[in-house]
Amino acid sequence: MAAGLFEGQYVWHPAADDRVLASVCVDVRAGRYLSARDALTETRGHFALRAHRSLVLASEAADSDLVERWLTEEPGPEAALLWARVAVLRAVRAADARDPRTEALERIALAACDRAATADPADPTPWVAKLAMARLHRLRDGAPRGLLTAPPGPWRLFAHILSIDPWHREAHHRFLACFFTRYGGSVTAAWDVAAFLGQRAPADSPLRLLPLVALVECYDPTQLLADRVWEQPQWRTTALAIHHHWLPTVTDYPFTPVLDLAYLAHALVMARHEEEARAAFTAMGPYASRMPWSVFGDPAEQLSRARRACGLLVPGA
């Protein structure tokens, strides 16, 4: 659905315009898994789509016994993968809530990831799921050369994933998150890792957005002129380069990369490049993500404010 068809309401569903996935989510909520099996089977070898669909489906299945039933009734690589995703999501939720069951849930999740990796050794997704738990264990591998702060972290696990898929989007974002201050890292480490990962990525890769992700994560509204940071030459240059090199490739994606587009649009608006931001919003259509907008206030209000700055329609207009 193009932005020209915007009907005045944002679509917040993470499936965005992946209509197969949106339909499968309905089945999963109803306790049916056959369509999930088919939707994941058709992603074999397409790691970005497999990561996207399995992550969204896990969020739909985590509060039911659907995956356990599926694994019992029809075991296979897709059942094992979704079980790993669900188990990791439950473990991370428990850890964040300081649930006393956290340790047991982590053991289950690690076993589920190993089972999924064994079921399909060519698939990096189970390893990416395991990487999502790395911040809970504070893995302290030494950093490679090229980083100013040389922050320790889950470098070996990350390197294994890159040996399967060098530019795996979710893996890079999961890895960067390990260095965020809210997960025990530091601002300097987050900057260092984001710059290191972003600079080594191809010019037309969405991974060039990683420094902009770190910029949002490190945002401190109490600092003087905090909202003017995006106007600094280095961030203007970063956002405009992504607009020039990556944005044109979005039309070839199997689903709209809403979150990446949101980070780009936000950076361009904050840098006072409304015309370029308008193009990013147009690529998003009516689809919306809560990040990065929620860092600055109510996500719907912040998104509408940014769209109005670009002369675009907003709900209620």
Side-chain angles (χ1 to χ4, degrees), residues 132-203:
M133 290 198 300
R135 64 178 176 83
L136 306 181
H137 303 288
R138 301 301 304 156
L139 299 178
R140 311 289 291 180
D141 305 330
R145 294 180 179 179
L147 288 93
L148 294 175
T149 60
W155 290 97
R156 281 183 291 183
L157 175 56
F158 184 53
H160 178 73
I161 296 169
L162 300 191
S163 71
I164 304 173
D165 183 8
W167 310 117
H168 197 287
R169 181 203 172 277
E170 185 187 342
H172 281 75
H173 281 264
R174 296 286 188 192
F175 184 69
L176 175 59
C178 293
F179 301 92
F180 290 164
T181 54
R182 57 190 162 119
Y183 299 140
S186 68
V187 170
T188 54
W191 285 124
D192 200 7
V193 172
F196 176 76
L197 298 179
Q199 290 168 3
R200 64 186 291 275

Side-chain angles (χ1 to χ4, degrees), residues 61-209:
D63 296 324
S64 72
D65 67 346
L66 178 138
V67 180
E68 287 87 346
R69 287 192 292 105
W70 180 6
L71 203 60
T72 300
E73 296 170 5
E74 192 178 325
E78 280 64 48
L81 174 60
L82 195 58
W83 168 230
R85 285 291 210 179
V86 165
V88 166
L89 181 56
R90 289 171 180 167
V92 170
R93 284 179 178 176
D96 290 343
R98 300 185 183 278
D99 190 311
R101 300 172 299 168
T102 297
E103 186 176 342
L105 289 173
E106 286 184 29
R107 287 197 299 269
I108 292 171
L110 290 171
C113 290
D114 289 342
R115 176 172 178 169
T118 301
D120 187 356
D123 183 10
T125 322
W127 298 98
V128 176
K130 184 179 287 190
L131 184 59
M133 290 198 300
R135 64 178 176 83
L136 306 181
H137 303 288
R138 301 301 304 156
L139 299 178
R140 311 289 291 180
D141 305 330
R145 294 180 179 179
L147 288 93
L148 294 175
T149 60
W155 290 97
R156 281 183 291 183
L157 175 56
F158 184 53
H160 178 73
I161 296 169
L162 300 191
S163 71
I164 304 173
D165 183 8
W167 310 117
H168 197 287
R169 181 203 172 277
E170 185 187 342
H172 281 75
H173 281 264
R174 296 286 188 192
F175 184 69
L176 175 59
C178 293
F179 301 92
F180 290 164
T181 54
R182 57 190 162 119
Y183 299 140
S186 68
V187 170
T188 54
W191 285 124
D192 200 7
V193 172
F196 176 76
L197 298 179
Q199 290 168 3
R200 64 186 291 275
D204 61 352
S205 169
L207 299 178
R208 288 280 177 158
L209 284 157

Side-chain angles (χ1 to χ4, degrees), residues 11-18 21-22 25 29 52 55-57 59-60 255-256 258 287-290:
V11 179
W12 296 95
H13 197 287
D17 55 349
D18 185 341
L21 178 58
C25 285
R29 287 194 294 271
H52 171 63
L55 188 61
V56 173
L57 290 175
S59 69
E60 298 286 353
F255 61 92
T256 299
V258 178
Y287 304 105
S289 62
R290 285 170 173 76

